[in-house]
Amino acid sequence: MTDFDGALRWSDDGLELIDQTLLPHEVRVLRIDTVDGLRDAIARLAVRGAPALGAAGALGVVVAMDQAVREGWDGNRLAAEIDGLRRARPTAVNLAWGVDRAAARLPDGRDAVVAAALAIVEADARGNRAMGARAADFLEAVLPERPLRLLTHCNSGALCATEWGTGLGVVRELAARGRVDHVLVDETRPLLQGSRLTAWELARAGIDHAVISDAAAAGLIVGGQVDAVIIGADRIAANGDTANKVGSLGLALAAADAGAPFVVAAPESTIDHATPHGGAIEIEYRDEDEVLSFAGRRVAPAGSRGLNPAFDVTPARLLTAIVTEQRLVHVARGEQPGRSAATAVS
Amino acid sequence: MTDFDGALRWSDDGLELIDQTLLPHEVRVLRIDTVDGLRDAIARLAVRGAPALGAAGALGVVVAMDQAVREGWDGNRLAAEIDGLRRARPTAVNLAWGVDRAAARLPDGRDAVVAAALAIVEADARGNRAMGARAADFLEAVLPERPLRLLTHCNSGALCATEWGTGLGVVRELAARGRVDHVLVDETRPLLQGSRLTAWELARAGIDHAVISDAAAAGLIVGGQVDAVIIGADRIAANGDTANKVGSLGLALAAADAGAPFVVAAPESTIDHATPHGGAIEIEYRDEDEVLSFAGRRVAPAGSRGLNPAFDVTPARLLTAIVTEQRLVHVARGEQPGRSAATAVS
């Protein structure tokens, strides 16, 4: 179907993305030549997911440099374009992080920027494997009895990263160890990243799974049909409050009620040390048409409006653990992931 | 658009239903001449909602009697057809209740059965007004400060009843009193009764509302943007555990976390005194295609299966109150709605 290992690919020809809006029915590769093209791809979620946005942002700086040469931009224009790219999605901290990491090398020339961006891609792939192994170790330790019935939300797989994935990488690792019975996949309205993307990845990986409506998750969790919930994250405040795809908070409430572990797997770059708690995280509201329509067809009456928050914030008190490529933060035992939280305490 | 006051209408011509699967874009009236036709309408949710199913079941006994005359059924065939109608949807207790109430008058002839069925219709309409007023009094008392921001799920309006509605009837009553700021409407996957039916009713009634994805509800409730959650019910166990449209439990968990009232409005006939607690309620699983597809179009990969519980059970510990046409059961203060629960205690 594709030789992509994840959401994107970099070659001498430049940046290419899988257009995730067309999955699972069509695998179309987008060639990205302009900053506007990349911003558009990010805005309409052709590429999405925290780690992939970090990598795309970093490689986007190279795209901007090449476009600047082609179109004769001055330095101010280049800086403005890079800043616009940086702010293409407000909640995802990794996008800005990736842009900043690559842009810091601008004075050293294109090769240095490319090297910085590719270092992010390679570190992400290595990091995903490391966090997957660490989180799998943790879940095997706390749930030693039997093959696990897991539940996940949105897509935190290879398609949100450069390969393997974060939350879904944990699922892959547990499956490789023979510890997965099956995976319940929230369809994840409004854009159905679960039924379109996560189900596609699990089907390709041969991991048994069933798609459920988002609304069904709480009943299945509280009803004892789920051993653990595993998700990624879009931004983690210093105290552990976590912004993720809208619907994650509901899963955390249900898991807490059921006493099931709720594990967040995300790269260190997702931890926003400058944000002390979830109340300071800006929540992106997307176009109301995403909830009022489907596939271009209006569902709701003409007179109805919609409200479409893309994320919600799960308070740290509802998390079991945050697992990164470097460490496990046992939030349920009072550990906090961020420096400013530690500073606030000390 | 229609002169129907609710889901169905009875006249000398027989039973007519609005085909709710076509709303909000088309108002089509179904004439019901056969038991099979009614069972089909119930199975594909052309008519749905606990009170409407009670009325449809009762009037369906008349439909069966007329069909029996036309087609020369014997008494055994008639009884078997009525029993099949009774079991068309396993979780909704009102359907069987309505069938049984009307069928009890079979020995007295058609006029007596019609009278029993129409008595259910009329009592439902009166009862909805009474429960709406009672629940509105309660919410005005506990939330006296300002126009209320309400959240509801699925459709508990006139379309689930004979007129006015249960949960949505409370909203109508509060709106008539000038106490509604706006209503957040869960779209209610997989069949979108919220964005299709509840939004249609609220738009017609001129009540300000916004459709949200089911997954967005928890974040909005816990984030303090909802003053109260009001829903109907499909079956209430004697101890107060309540089966409702899948997704209701998640709302209850969020409301409990936020300290927002969670009110169930349902007729007394929804209370199943023979069922001691929620664990004894059979949950209907519907066709997996409802979650694997959206608006008739396949979303998930061909290799993926789906899991589609139609209901979940909210434990009584998460409810604030159950309001019926006869009484308010203050569940949060330890009151229980059912006789067998009272018996178990005494």
Side-chain angles (χ1 to χ4, degrees), chain A residues 276-293:
Chain A
H277 57 78
I281 297 176
E282 177 187 358
I283 296 297
E284 173 186 355
Y285 278 73
R286 294 179 59 84
D287 194 311
E288 65 176 2
D289 281 345
E290 289 182 354
V291 291
L292 297 174
S293 302

Side-chain angles (χ1 to χ4, degrees), chain A residues 187 189 209 211 298 304-305, chain B residues 25 187 189 209 211 304:
Chain A
E187 62 174 3
R189 279 282 288 158
H209 64 283
V211 175
R298 180 89 181 187
S304 298
R305 64 188 172 90
Chain B
H25 303 300
E187 62 174 3
R189 279 280 287 156
H209 64 283
V211 175
S304 298

Side-chain angles (χ1 to χ4, degrees), chain B residues 102-146:
Chain B
R105 303 302 303 276
L106 275 170
D108 305 317
R110 186 181 188 278
D111 285 353
V113 176
V114 169
L118 290 181
I120 287 176
V121 172
E122 284 147 24
D124 180 68
R126 274 197 316 277
N128 284 355
R129 300 277 180 164
M131 84 178 65
R134 183 173 288 111
D137 289 347
F138 175 74
L139 286 166
E140 287 207 279
V142 298
L143 296 165
E145 297 299 326
R146 61 179 180 282

